[in-house]
Structures are given as C-alpha cells and as structure tokens.
C-alpha cells in the first residue's frame, strides 16, 4: 500500500517504520506538506496533536480516502480529556468530509510499535478498530496484521468515544504505576462458571 502520514512525531515514525519494514511505501507530510501526503496515500495516517486537527485537515480533500485516526484527546500525565464528550474521531470526520475514518492505534504508546515483538505473555496484541466503511476497515486490518498485531472490529465510528475514553483511563493507570490488565481478567476467567 501507499501510506501518507500526517505528522512527524514519535507515533508517526513508529507506525511508519513498521509499515516500511512490511514493504509499504510511505510519504510523510508535516505542516505545509499535508496535501502531498494525502494525495500520495491509498491510506493516510493522522498522527498529530488534537490542537492541530483543524489546521492540518481543514483545507484538504479526503473524499473517498481512508483516514486512520490514532490521536487521543487527553493530556498523558493527568489523563484529562480536552474535547469534552466529543470523540476525536468524530471531530476528524467533520473536519475531513468524505473521508472514510477509522479509529485505530490509539491504545498503545509509540514504544510498543517501535519494539520488535507484539506478543505479551503468550497473547498477541489486539488493536481495536472503529469505523463505518467496510473497505476502509479491511485496509486498516491489513495494516494491523503487517505490524504483527491482531485487528478487532469494535463497532462504528460512534463507538470511538469509548475507545478514546478507555485510552485516557488506561494511560492514567500506567502513569500511576498500576498495571491496567489487573482490572481485566483473562477471557477464560471472566466467563468461567463456578461448580
């Protein structure tokens, strides 16, 4: 695939390097080069701070293009949401009319994507996806697999708000030194029926 990447931060580089290693062609577009990145990509990754959304999306034509939103609306150190109850992904869809937006890659820090392995304690990393377009979801599923992770469809774009809130909650726990997995038992334990 040809992947345009809007952003030049750690997350953009981490995902981009993984996709390049899997054989995809990349074009990065920082401020002033967004149009070129969008025009280049079969898929475009949006990896910019929430505060820059209007600036980088407002003037571009995303009609019919798959746009991956990996942003979060919180401050990592405090975990506070900065867009109120609006999902970032829904805001992205408003700012990029015609785009086929898929929320993905927002639960893990860039360091996870920079690492060589995606299996932790015997379980492959799952990447929840929220989106409304089947073709766009299929393309992003392939990109997840190319990063050695497992895609999981988590509902329409309207459910991205829960994925974003989950990220704020989990990252807040991590910053507090708590292993967030301790709050979620393995599937076998969650549905075990006592004798």
């Amino acid at each position: 695939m040809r992947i345009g990447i809007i952003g030049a931060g750690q997350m953009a580089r981490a995902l981009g390097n993984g996709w390049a290693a899997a054989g995809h062609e990349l074009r990065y577009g920082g401020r002033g080069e967004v149009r070129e990145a969008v025009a280049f990509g079969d898929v475009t990754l949006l990896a910019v701070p929430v505060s820059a959304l209007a600036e980088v999306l407002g003037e571009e034509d995303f009609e019919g293009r798959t746009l991956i939103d990996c942003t979060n609306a919180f401050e990592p150190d405090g975990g506070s949401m900065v867009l109120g109850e609006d999902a970032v992904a829904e805001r992205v869809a408003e700012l990029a009319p015609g785009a086929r937006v898929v929320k993905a890659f927002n639960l893990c820090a860039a360091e996870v994507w920079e690492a060589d392995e995606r299996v932790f304690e015997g379980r492959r990393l799952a990447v929840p996806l929220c989106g409304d377009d089947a073709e766009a979801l299929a393309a992003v599923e392939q990109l997840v697999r190319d990063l050695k992770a497992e895609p999981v469809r988590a509902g329409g774009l309207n459910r991205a708000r829960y994925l974003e809130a989950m990220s704020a909650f989990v990252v807040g726990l991590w910053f507090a030194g708590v292993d967030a997995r301790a709050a979620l038992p393995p599937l076998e334990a969650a549905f075990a029926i006592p004798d």
Side-chain angles (χ1 to χ4, degrees):
M1 265 184 248
R2 289 161 53 104
I3 305 170
I5 298 180
I6 302 173
Q10 190 176 2
M11 192 68 165
R13 288 190 311 272
L15 291 170
N17 289 342
W19 288 326
H24 298 289
E25 296 178 60
L26 306 179
R27 172 125 191 206
Y28 288 87
R31 290 182 179 161
E33 301 167 329
V34 173
R35 180 164 289 139
E36 291 83 359
V38 173
F40 174 83
D42 302 313
V43 172
T44 303
L45 172 70
L46 178 64
V48 299
V50 171
S51 59
L53 290 178
E55 179 184 343
V56 299
L57 296 178
E59 311 247 338
E60 304 309 321
D61 180 10
F62 289 93
E63 185 64 41
R65 296 185 175 274
T66 297
L67 181 59
I68 303 170
D69 169 31
C70 73
T71 59
N72 281 309
F74 66 88
E75 300 299 330
D77 56 348
S80 60
M81 301 294 280
V82 296
L83 278 186
E85 294 184 16
D86 293 337
V88 175
E90 291 173 313
R91 177 93 170 116
V92 167
E94 289 172 10
L95 291 168
R100 301 180 306 172
V101 179
V102 176
K103 186 74 180 189
F105 304 108
N106 72 308
L107 289 183
C108 294
E111 289 83 0
V112 172
W113 300 112
E114 290 169 343
D116 293 330
E117 191 51 65
R118 305 281 183 272
V119 176
F120 304 98
E121 297 178 355
R123 290 190 170 94
R124 184 156 302 281
L125 178 67
V127 178
L129 311 177
C130 293
D132 298 325
D133 185 277
E135 188 178 324
L137 284 164
V140 178
E141 284 174 330
Q142 184 57 54
L143 292 176
V144 170
R145 288 186 192 99
D146 290 342
L147 293 174
K148 304 176 192 169
E150 186 64 34
V152 177
R153 292 197 185 189
L157 198 62
N158 63 332
R159 293 183 57 88
R161 69 182 61 240
Y162 305 118
L163 194 53
E164 292 168 9
M166 180 179 169
S167 180
F169 178 72
V170 168
V171 171
L173 289 176
W174 285 336
F175 272 86
V178 176
D179 185 348
R181 296 172 307 163
L184 301 169
L187 183 61
E188 303 82 30
F191 291 99
I193 299 173
D195 294 335

